[in-house]
Amino acid sequence: MHISLFIDGGWQNGADGRTLPVINPATGRTIGDVAVAETADLDAAAAAAGRAFRTWREVSVHDRGTILRRAASLLRERADEIAAAMTAEQGKPLAEARGETIAAGGTLEWYAEEARRDYGRIVPARAKGVTQTVRREPIGPVVAFTPWNFPINQAVRKIAAALATGCTLVLKGPEETPASCAALVQAMVDAGVPPGVLNLVFGVPADISSHLIAHPIIRKVSFTGSTAVGKHLAALAGAHMKPVTMELGGHAPVLVFDDADVNKAADIMGAAKLRNAGQVCISPTRFLVQEKVYGAFRDRVVDIVSRAQVGDGMDPGTQMGPLANARRRDGIEQMIADAVGRGARLATGGTRIGNEGFFLAPAVLEEVPLDAAAMTSEPFGPLALLAPFARYEDAVEEANRLPYGLAAYAFSRSASTVAALGRDIECGMLSINHHGIGLPELPFGGVKDSGYGSEGGSEGLQPYLTTKMVTVLTE
Ligand code: NAD
């Protein structure tokens, strides 16, 4: 497998022919390589995006939508093939990879439709003969950076919103998982996206971001990844007065009250923890459970997690694949060791599995002190932290303790508790009594250190549009 750069309508190698290896996390073995973009390639991609913007913005929103919908159909037709490539390079079970590919079709269709509904406004004038209009215009060529955990989902949100509004894009895809991201780009191209409108580069992330964010052709920056990198890129963009969308890390609390359906809460959140081996920014992490039901909830979650079938994502029986790379596996091991060293109790998991690949048994920790690394930094792996709470106020205080504010979950049958949670939890997305986050028609994003700007919902269009006021006296 060799994955190239896609610049101005053609697949090509980097100017110096450099490549990076792509590794199957289930075996630890190299399965291919990906081209590295040099400065000349980045300049070519930015120039192509700049040229294409002049014509793409003039294509009607209806015609742009037709192309996006066609790409959605192609992704569905190719889902099996793309899913196999994603599992081989990323590790997630085949069913999750297939689901991600199919869901990308839904995202493309949502934006194809929603972009048609950005109408602008006519504002009543004070003087006779004056017409005041508020026009919404595409912001221009965008640079976007997307990570390896959802190689298609993270990229398609940015591609769909940018292209639907008439923007063009240089996407820096994930070097760790380039094949499935490239397959997404190929589907867009086969659907009729013209040369230059969508460009895909890979390489050294810091080199690409410092060059393209500063590039005069680029008008907007969108990033999905860690908070530390997000802050760095937001500062770079700020120096060049470019707006940014930042979809960063989280440390999702789960508040389970004693009037909840405790078994249902454990089943839904236990399954959510295992999804993509916990490498999900909205993965449930701090399980805060009211004292009376703590034991029952704990036993059920530990049972779910300890019985999880961990294995190669290609095997149909696998519930959880390997961690994406050795760094992530080592990071989770270190967090567990740190917590246990500070007095936490490991209820299950945390051990390596097999002799190859980056497999780790999903883990549950109890009695974790607040100064443990796991209680302050995003684990980004299969680690659940359980703690009892006494009163509503205690749970909310702990939920809001961290600088993160992405997803939060709660389970309660009390209407007043549900209403209060909607007001009190500091987060961008709150899902109560089910897992309902991540649908194309709903805004997806965070507050505080989890970033700003939405992807999804009608809010997802806004970052790609500028507002222009035009006032005309016609008499
Ligand atoms: P990392 O911080 O090294 O990289 C995260 C992402 O940022 C990667 O896609 C990487 O290519 C990119 N990146 C890193 N430096 C960059 C730079 N200077 N310019 C542009 N892009 C850059 O971490 P990692 O080990 O790959 O991932 C683990 C951490 O990343 C997690 O702790 C998690 O917080 C975060 N992450 C978040 C998401 C998300 O969905 N929000 C996805 C993947 C990773």
Side-chain angles (χ1 to χ4, degrees):
M1 182 247 288
H2 172 69
I3 303 300
S4 309
L5 316 173
F6 187 74
I7 296 173
D8 204 11
W11 293 99
Q12 61 182 66
N13 288 326
D16 289 353
R18 288 194 294 159
T19 59
L20 291 167
V22 178
I23 290 163
N24 180 340
T27 62
R29 285 194 284 275
T30 300
I31 52 171
D33 60 25
V34 56
V36 169
E38 310 297 338
T39 304
D41 304 310
L42 301 177
D43 285 339
R51 276 193 306 278
F53 179 60
R54 290 187 217 126
T55 46
W56 183 244
R57 65 175 299 171
E58 301 302 334
V59 174
S60 82
V61 70
H62 300 267
D63 291 345
R64 294 197 297 258
T66 301
I67 294 175
L68 264 54
R69 280 192 294 272
R70 212 180 286 142
S73 303
L74 291 177
L75 284 175
R76 292 188 185 112
E77 278 169 27
R78 299 173 187 178
D80 287 339
E81 185 193 324
I82 296 174
M86 192 188 298
T87 294
E89 64 188 5
Q90 203 274 342
K92 67 182 62 176
L94 213 42
E96 285 185 29
R98 195 168 185 283
E100 179 177 340
T101 309
I102 287 171
T107 300
L108 287 160
E109 286 166 348
W110 163 259
Y111 279 108
E113 288 303 315
E114 193 62 8
R116 290 156 36 135
R117 301 193 183 97
D118 202 87
Y119 305 118
R121 277 186 295 148
I122 295 178
V123 181
R126 295 175 180 222
K128 190 163 175 269
V130 171
T131 308
Q132 303 172 141
T133 51
V134 179
R135 294 167 54 88
R136 310 282 288 145
E137 299 183 343
I139 192 167
V142 176
V143 63
F145 302 87
T146 58
W148 46 263
N149 60 339
F150 292 94
I152 287 193
N153 176 53
Q154 307 282 27
V156 79
R157 285 177 178 161
K158 300 184 197 302
I159 293 173
L163 268 55
T165 51
C167 294
T168 56
L169 195 69
V170 180
L171 174 67
K172 189 205 81 66
E175 291 75 23
E176 300 89 339
T177 57
S180 42
C181 188
L184 167 65
V185 169
Q186 187 64 58
M188 302 296 303
V189 171
D190 293 345
V193 169
V197 170
L198 174 59
N199 305 275
L200 176 65
V201 296
F202 300 99
V204 180
D207 293 351
I208 297 178
S209 55
S210 59
H211 190 71
L212 285 182
I213 289 174
H215 202 292
I217 289 175
I218 299 296
R219 300 308 322 150
K220 181 189 162 55
V221 179
S222 182
F223 174 75
T224 300
S226 60
T227 295
V229 175
K231 286 183 176 177
H232 171 64
L233 299 193
L236 266 180
H240 297 278
M241 202 48 73
K242 296 182 185 175
V244 294
T245 300
M246 287 285 155
E247 206 274 273
L248 307 177
H251 204 292
V254 183
L255 285 66
V256 182
F257 291 87
D258 58 17
D259 58 8
D261 182 335
V262 174
N263 288 347
K264 186 174 123 188
D267 291 350
I268 294 173
M269 289 292 101
K273 184 74 251 181
L274 298 173
R275 179 173 170 235
N276 203 8
Q279 303 162 118
V280 186
C281 53
I282 59 168
S283 186
T285 294
R286 280 170 296 152
F287 293 70
L288 314 172
V289 188
Q290 206 154 14
E291 285 165 349
K292 209 167 90 188
V293 295
Y294 181 81
F297 182 88
R298 172 206 173 276
D299 289 350
R300 198 160 174 115
V301 163
V302 169
D303 185 52
I304 291 167
V305 166
S306 56
R307 281 193 296 110
Q309 286 295 318
V310 180
D312 189 329
M314 294 292 186
D315 298 337
T318 293
Q319 271 177 283
M320 192 185 100
L323 278 290
N325 52 50
R327 198 171 69 244
R328 290 259 42 83
R329 180 201 55 198
D330 298 350
I332 298 296
E333 284 180 331
Q334 280 159 19
M335 272 193 172
I336 293 172
D338 168 74
V340 170
R342 291 169 195 269
R345 209 172 69 76
L346 183 61
T348 184
T351 48
R352 293 187 183 192
I353 299 173
N355 300 322
E356 57 175 22
F358 313 120
F359 295 98
L360 194 69
V364 176
L365 281 172
E366 292 181 278
E367 297 161 35
V368 190
L370 292 186
D371 63 354
M375 282 302 238
T376 50
S377 307
E378 181 178 32
F380 220 64
L383 177 59
L385 313 166
L386 267 57
F389 72 86
R391 300 172 313 141
Y392 173 89
E393 294 75 18
D394 303 331
V396 170
E397 188 181 331
E398 168 54 23
N400 293 341
R401 176 179 56 90
L402 293 180
Y404 294 110
L406 194 61
Y409 305 90
F411 291 83
S412 169
R413 287 193 179 102
S414 155
S416 62
T417 301
V418 165
L421 287 165
R423 183 192 60 218
D424 292 341
I425 302 293
E426 295 172 1
C427 66
M429 299 168 282
L430 174 60
S431 187
I432 301 179
N433 292 332
H434 75 142
H435 188 318
I437 298 177
L439 300 171
E441 62 273 23
L442 293 175
F444 189 104
V447 296
K448 306 199 285 186
D449 273 4
S450 293
Y452 39 79
S454 275
E455 302 201 295
S458 43
E459 289 84 355
L461 290 173
Q462 303 314 317
Y464 297 94
L465 294 164
T466 56
T467 296
K468 183 191 281 176
M469 189 282 290
V470 180
T471 178
V472 183
L473 175 62
T474 48
E475 289 177 13

